[in-house]
Amino acid sequence: MILRSNPVAPDPRVEKEARALVEAGYKVKVVAWDRKGELPRLEETPHGTVERLPIKGNFGSGLANLLPLARFNLALLWYLLKRRSTYDAIHACDFDTVLPALLAGKLLRKQVIYDVFDFYADMLRATPGWLKAIIRKIDLKVMGWVDGVILADEARVDQIRGASPKYLAFIYNSPAIDGPLPLPPEPPPLRIAYVGLLQVERGILQVVELLRQRPEWHLDLAGFGGDEELIKREIAGLPNVRYHGRVPYGKAIELMAEAHVLFATYDPSIPNHRYSSANKLFEAMAIGRPIVVARGTGMDRLVERYGLGFVVEYGRLDELERAFNRVASWNQEERRNFAHKARGIYEAEFSWEKMKRELLDLYQKLD
């Protein structure tokens, strides 16, 4: 049982891990939270059966979402208890699913894997500091009580200092992309893409403001999240910004491959962003596109070490514009050379095949 507090429609990391387990011979069910109650309750997919619990709730609303989250956790616990004979292991994604997983695991003697996509206390946006401190203490304790912990990057060990996991694995947010390298489109115009969580702390509004000033550039924007309506209002009337809403993962990769440059300029003042290991960084590598990231986030060291794009100060439109201008100035040979270099780094260091072996090794240790 893989537990996730979003509808998994899509969720690239959940889908990749679930598919890897299916391919290794495990029977997998994903239990997800459909906060709007608009998606199919049951769905058969290549990564197993997805069952969505339709419990009303919102993204990014802090204490206002506490009661829906409690309902979701109780529903998860009841689900796990009622179906006790149908599974051997629980794979809990993030803190907002791990407590029912741990309780069911202890009561029923099931193995529990805790997959920390983001350290929960550091990602809460509208939650009082005292509550974050309590969550942090509980979270670190839980990491020592489960059977194994997965982190998205070795750098995050510092973020969970004080925890004592029995087993610890590192699985990067690498995409499962192994097809031919998509060659960059011919400019102009410069095409920029962002597909992901729609939150203002991810630098989206700064890029939108830049697009107001540079009408000859084009932005493809897709995803969902707590600031979706705000962002939609900001882009209304901009002819050079195209909003795609929630898209399946294949379409997400297609939108990024049709761009010349991606961005993931997260606000480094948010603790969780200082350890970020975003899907977009590894997707950019796999499809051979440069990426612009903010200094002081978990991605800047990899971008600088391997020459994967550009690092800018968060909120500095002049630096952002300079980075995009650099990409716009490349000729097609330079674009192709960069694409082949980035794809080579992905395949040598960060491919999903390598990450998949880490996941299966962890499960085999616990068998």
Side-chain angles (χ1 to χ4, degrees):
M1 292 283 190
I2 298 181
L3 313 181
R4 186 64 165 135
S5 66
N6 71 37
V8 187
D11 187 315
R13 186 173 173 97
V14 168
E15 292 169 16
K16 286 179 300 189
E17 292 181 338
R19 188 179 296 112
L21 292 167
V22 167
E23 290 170 353
Y26 292 87
K27 183 180 178 182
V28 175
K29 175 173 262 192
V30 178
V31 187
W33 185 4
D34 181 5
R35 303 180 193 213
K36 294 186 177 180
E38 297 173 349
L39 295 165
R41 177 71 183 256
L42 270 174
E43 187 176 356
E44 295 298 331
T45 75
H47 46 272
T49 302
V50 177
E51 183 164 358
R52 300 181 178 93
L53 305 182
I55 298 168
K56 292 295 183 184
N58 296 305
F59 286 99
S61 54
L63 288 178
N65 205 44
L66 191 57
L67 188 55
L69 178 60
R71 289 196 191 106
F72 173 63
N73 272 245
L74 288 171
L76 278 183
L77 179 60
W78 176 242
Y79 189 99
L80 293 168
L81 294 175
K82 202 162 71 167
R83 292 161 179 79
R84 68 188 74 188
S85 64
T86 65
Y87 63 94
D88 302 301
I90 309 168
H91 188 118
C93 302
D94 279 336
F95 183 76
D96 47 15
T97 69
V98 77
L99 295 181
L102 181 64
L103 185 53
K106 295 298 183 187
L107 288 172
L108 305 174
R109 297 186 179 180
K110 309 287 186 179
Q111 292 172 337
V112 179
I113 302 295
Y114 184 13
D115 200 340
V116 184
F117 292 22
D118 291 294
F119 190 53
Y120 202 70
D122 286 347
M123 68 178 282
L124 295 172
R125 305 171 71 203
T127 304
W130 61 268
L131 184 53
K132 289 184 185 181
I134 293 171
I135 291 170
R136 177 185 295 274
K137 287 180 181 178
I138 296 171
D139 204 354
L140 295 176
K141 287 288 185 186
V142 165
M143 290 180 195
W145 293 336
V146 297
D147 297 291
V149 172
I150 299 172
L151 298 180
D153 191 316
E154 289 88 346
R156 296 194 182 198
V157 171
D158 182 60
Q159 197 177 19
I160 65 162
R161 191 183 293 117
S164 302
K166 300 181 181 79
Y167 290 106
L168 184 58
F170 301 99
I171 299 176
Y172 283 85
N173 285 313
S174 303
I177 295 175
D178 54 10
L181 176 67
L183 293 178
E186 293 275 357
L190 178 71
R191 300 187 69 89
I192 306 161
Y194 176 94
V195 184
L197 197 61
L198 298 181
Q199 289 184 336
V200 296
E201 299 93 344
R202 294 188 169 210
I204 298 168
L205 294 185
Q206 286 93 331
V207 174
V208 170
E209 178 58 31
L210 190 55
L211 268 287
R212 292 185 202 280
Q213 302 172 20
R214 300 296 298 262
E216 74 276 21
W217 292 351
H218 182 92
L219 170 65
D220 281 295
L221 183 65
F224 63 95
D227 293 327
E228 186 172 350
E229 294 306 316
L230 169 62
I231 291 167
K232 283 164 67 176
R233 287 195 299 271
E234 289 294 319
I235 65 175
L238 284 178
N240 56 338
V241 179
R242 184 166 55 176
Y243 176 66
H244 300 267
R246 187 196 298 266
V247 297
Y249 191 60
K251 178 64 175 177
I253 295 298
E254 181 184 314
L255 286 172
M256 289 185 276
E258 289 171 352
H260 298 107
V261 61
L262 313 180
F263 71 92
T265 46
Y266 296 2
D267 183 352
S269 70
I270 295 173
N272 219 40
H273 288 174
R274 295 198 288 271
Y275 300 94
S276 60
S277 182
N279 292 337
K280 281 174 279 301
L281 172 60
F282 301 97
E283 289 160 352
M285 277 189 244
I287 62 173
R289 299 296 181 266
I291 189 167
V292 181
V293 303
R295 189 172 305 284
T297 58
M299 296 173 283
D300 59 349
R301 58 191 177 82
L302 289 179
V303 169
E304 290 186 323
R305 183 189 306 166
Y306 293 102
L308 298 168
F310 305 91
V311 177
V312 301
E313 293 295 331
Y314 178 78
R316 288 285 302 271
L317 258 63
D318 59 332
E319 294 191 16
L320 195 60
E321 184 175 22
R322 197 174 305 126
F324 289 152
N325 265 325
R326 287 277 302 279
V327 179
S329 72
W330 290 353
N331 60 39
Q332 201 64 357
E333 183 181 1
E334 289 172 308
R335 295 179 200 283
R336 289 196 187 98
N337 288 342
F338 181 93
H340 286 290
K341 181 192 82 166
R343 179 64 167 261
I345 293 166
Y346 164 77
E347 290 175 347
E349 303 288 340
F350 303 104
S351 74
W352 178 245
E353 284 303 311
K354 291 176 178 289
M355 300 305 111
K356 185 162 66 172
R357 286 197 291 274
E358 292 291 327
L359 176 67
L360 298 179
D361 284 349
L362 174 60
Y363 268 92
Q364 285 160 11
K365 284 175 185 173
L366 299 178
D367 279 346

